[in-house]
Structure formats: C-alpha cells, structure tokens
Amino acid sequence: MQAHHDDNIIILYSVIFIFFAACFVAPPTEFVSAGVTIQNLFSGCLGSEGFNFVYHHVKRTTLTLVIHSLIPLAYYIGLHLFAPHLALFDLEEINQFWLFVLLLSLLLPGLASLTAIYWCRNNYAQHPIVKQLSRLAGENESWRAVASSINIEFRRIDKFTSGTPSRLIAVTDSWIIKCSTYFVYISHQNDIHLTIAEAEEHPLSYQSQSAVQYLNIAVGGIEGRISPFSIRLNSFELSDLKEKLQKPLRNARNIVIHQSLSDRFLQTFREQVNQNPVFTLPLGMEVEQCIGCMQKPSDVKLNLCCRDSTGEEREEFSCQRCFCRPMWCLECMGKWFASRQDQHQPETWMGSQSPCPTCRARFCVLDVCPLNSVS
C-alpha cells in the first residue's frame, strides 16, 4: 500500500515538474509576458540585445546551456523535498534507479560547465556562434568586423522581426538571423536563396481566435559557408518580410499564401488606382521620396475625378479638391486610407472616404491617380 502511495506521489510531482520545465525551456507567450525567461531573469549579466546583439546571444546561449543542465538536479532535489521519506540522498538505502538519476543529474551540470568554460576562452573564440561568424568573414577580416556589422544593422528600427526573444527571427538590410535555444543562425543575404518549403494551416489560433497559416521558409547557402536552416512565420507577416529581402522568395510548389485583411485591401486598392486617370505633372515639378516610408518615390496624386454618389447635397459628404504636391507612394496612401476606415466593416472601405494625410481634404479611391512620370 505504501509503495502504491509513493508511486502516486512520484507521478504527480513528475507531471507538474515536467510541465513547468518544458515551459521554461520553450517559454510560451504567457511565460514571456510574465518575464519568466532566461533573457529577462539574467538581463543584468547578458547586456542589451539591441545595443550588442552578438555578444548578448553568445552569453545567452552559454548561460542557457548551463541552466538547462541543472533541471534534472532540480527535479531530484525537489522530489526529495516533496517526498523526504523516499530517502533519495541516503546512499545506503537508495535503489539503483534513483542512484543512476542522481549521478546523471550531477554529471550534466559538470559537462555543461566544462563546455561553457571552453566556449569562453579567449573572449568566446571557441563559441559556435563566433566560429560561424569567422566563416562569414572575408579575407583579412575578423569575426568581430562581422559582429559589428550585425550589431549596427540590428539597432535600426526598420528591421523585420518576428517571434519571441528566444525564437527571434530578424531580417536587416544585409543579414538574416534566426535565434534558437542554444544557437543563432546568421547568414548574409547575398550568400543565400530562400524557398517556401511548406505551409501549415490551423483552423484556430490561440492568439487571434481565427484561422492562421504558418509558412516554413528554407534558407540555403550558395557557397556552403552556412548551414541550411528554416524560418517559420505567420503568412500575414510575409509582405513585411519581402520588403527587407534583397533576393526573390521562391515558391516552387505554388503554395497558396493567405493574405491579411490589410494586404487584400492594398491589392484591391492598387488595382483600382491603376484604372484611374493618370495625372500629368506640371513642367519643372520633380518627384520626391514618399514622406511615409522614405524608400520609394511618390507615385500618386490626389486629384478630384469623382462626383458625390451619395445623392446627398450636403457639402460635408462630397469629395474635395486637394492642392498638395505628390508626396506619397501608392502603398503608403493605401495604408493611410485603410487606417481611417471602420475596422469592423471592411466591406465598406472601397466605397468610403478619407482625409488627405497632409491637408485633410476628403477623397475617395477614385481620386487617387497614378503619376505619368513614375514607372
């Protein structure tokens, strides 16, 4: 009877411990929000990820290896405190199974500590991440020069990021980065090719309570200097990812990619604008960069081309003439137009109005005209 009671205690404790240990090793959103992650708990000694990305993750992966190796020992000590009558530290009464568990829980931290010491020698020169950076470095260039380039670009606010801190995916102007528990995959955009390998569709997402599609994108090296890896992200984030990629994203399997509501509207918005009358720029007027994104030239002009179709004669319902010079690209104008609509009634967006982002004159989709001087 006592043996059966002891088995129940061990099973109950083991289930509870394994659950929390798994959440600590691979923290879900709730644990990340609560700050129960190695990056948050040891932020003081890891330093700032935003300021020194490479050294932060070199230290993080080293510390993670050591802390995770202590989990079996924590399990053993916790079980001893939870059920002291099992006498798990009495070497004369302990059975062979628990003795093996004790030796294993002591051996793992020792091996992890020796590995961490080896990695830390000569300013982390033997760390796997540093060795990877050395392979990425050019002739007569050290890994520190590569690390400096990554740190500088990661500080910029226009980078693409996705995922939790320990599962971060980041794409800068030159680099593609994927963080995992014990390693950080880094590749230069000029040395890789990207292919959509497969798509995972789930009828319900626990975050958005709606259907979601995840894309697995394979990142392969051209010259063999990097190990192939894959990144996984929500299909709604694909358009933001493409904006930072320097090479096309191949879809050899013709996978149907689900678009977000914003992307679907922008596609419809673009199709309608391309059907609108072309606006001819006055002589001498130069096209400047879009003040919304500062990356593309302005390619649309608000020009009154419609008439009030509401049947109302009140002036406040009619479109107005805009006298602003072209200052926006089509995509930024579409995003602005969508942001001014009722988010709960997307079916009304195309027939609605929006104020000009500069002078506040009301316009509709029919008033957005492409410029004749922009291809």
Side-chain angles (χ1 to χ4, degrees):
M1 188 68 179
Q2 179 64 32
H4 179 71
H5 179 69
D6 292 345
D7 290 342
N8 290 338
I9 292 178
I10 294 175
I11 292 174
L12 176 61
Y13 171 77
S14 299
V15 169
I16 295 175
F17 185 89
I18 291 174
F19 171 78
F20 284 99
C23 290
F24 183 71
V25 172
T29 305
E30 292 75 12
F31 271 57
V32 174
S33 301
V36 188
T37 62
I38 290 179
Q39 283 181 278
N40 186 69
L41 296 175
F42 298 92
S43 59
C45 61
L46 294 179
S48 171
E49 179 187 50
F51 181 75
N52 201 333
F53 177 85
V54 173
Y55 269 107
H56 173 89
H57 284 281
V58 165
K59 295 177 182 178
R60 176 190 65 83
T61 52
T62 305
L63 184 61
T64 299
L65 178 67
V66 174
I67 292 178
H68 286 180
S69 70
L70 295 171
I71 291 178
L73 182 59
Y75 168 82
Y76 197 88
I77 295 174
L79 182 59
H80 172 71
L81 298 175
F82 194 70
H85 59 278
L86 296 178
L88 296 178
F89 285 96
D90 191 339
L91 299 182
E92 296 180 357
E93 298 183 10
I94 190 173
N95 60 42
Q96 292 184 349
F97 172 77
W98 289 113
L99 180 60
F100 172 77
V101 174
L102 175 60
L103 293 177
L104 181 63
S105 62
L106 293 174
L107 179 62
L108 287 178
L111 293 176
S113 299
L114 290 176
T115 302
I117 293 173
Y118 174 72
W119 285 355
C120 294
R121 294 178 58 190
N122 299 325
N123 198 18
Y124 295 99
Q126 302 302 322
H127 195 283
I129 296 178
V130 173
K131 290 184 176 180
Q132 177 185 218
L133 296 180
S134 298
R135 293 194 298 269
L136 293 174
E139 296 182 3
N140 302 322
E141 185 181 30
S142 69
W143 68 268
R144 289 182 176 83
V146 180
S148 176
S149 173
I150 296 172
N151 292 337
I152 292 173
E153 292 194 11
F154 191 83
R155 294 180 196 137
R156 298 172 183 169
I157 62 175
D158 62 341
K159 63 181 178 293
F160 168 83
T161 58
S162 176
T164 60
S166 60
R167 295 288 187 274
L168 179 69
I169 296 171
V171 180
T172 67
D173 294 334
S174 304
W175 304 95
I176 295 181
I177 303 167
K178 175 190 175 182
C179 300
S180 64
T181 304
Y182 306 112
F183 192 65
V184 176
Y185 297 90
I186 301 173
S187 61
H188 198 281
Q189 292 208 41
N190 292 334
D191 300 333
I192 62 169
H193 54 78
L194 297 99
T195 306
I196 300 179
E198 61 178 344
E200 304 173 12
E201 298 186 12
H202 303 275
L204 185 65
S205 170
Y206 76 97
Q207 293 178 321
S208 60
Q209 302 300 315
S210 60
V212 63
Q213 181 189 49
Y214 289 99
L215 302 176
N216 292 321
I217 301 175
V219 182
I222 296 177
E223 300 179 356
R225 292 195 298 172
I226 67 167
S227 300
F229 61 95
S230 64
I231 58 179
R232 183 173 183 266
L233 74 161
N234 194 314
S235 61
F236 292 172
E237 300 175 300
L238 187 61
S239 59
D240 294 331
L241 172 67
K242 287 182 176 180
E243 291 182 359
K244 297 302 298 182
L245 294 179
Q246 297 181 3
K247 292 190 174 182
L249 178 62
R250 299 185 297 184
N251 188 4
R253 299 178 58 187
N254 294 322
I255 296 174
V256 178
I257 301 173
H258 297 176
Q259 292 181 309
S260 66
L261 176 61
S262 175
D263 290 336
R264 293 198 299 270
F265 172 77
L266 284 177
Q267 180 177 351
T268 306
F269 184 86
R270 183 180 296 107
E271 292 173 355
Q272 178 58 57
V273 171
N274 289 333
Q275 298 176 12
N276 293 343
V278 175
F279 181 84
T280 302
L281 286 174
L283 293 176
M285 179 179 289
E286 297 182 357
V287 176
E288 300 177 352
Q289 290 294 103
C290 169
I291 63 174
C293 62
M294 298 301 293
Q295 296 179 353
K296 303 176 183 178
S298 304
D299 56 8
V300 292
K301 170 72 171 72
L302 297 182
N303 188 36
L304 187 61
C305 296
C306 71
R307 294 295 182 267
D308 185 11
S309 61
T310 62
E312 300 285 345
E313 295 185 357
R314 287 184 294 174
E315 180 66 22
E316 61 266 26
F317 284 104
S318 61
C319 294
Q320 299 171 327
R321 187 172 299 278
C322 173
F323 296 95
C324 301
R325 60 184 296 130
M327 292 186 290
W328 299 83
C329 67
L330 189 151
E331 185 172 347
C332 288
M333 184 63 75
K335 291 179 179 179
W336 166 263
F337 190 94
S339 69
R340 309 302 295 177
Q341 308 308 316
D342 185 350
Q343 302 301 307
H344 299 289
Q345 294 182 319
E347 66 278 1
T348 65
W349 290 7
M350 288 299 293
S352 300
Q353 294 177 313
S354 168
C356 168
T358 308
C359 69
R360 305 302 176 182
R362 287 186 299 275
F363 71 96
C364 66
V365 177
L366 298 177
D367 298 328
V368 183
C369 300
L371 300 182
N372 64 341
S373 63
V374 179
S375 57

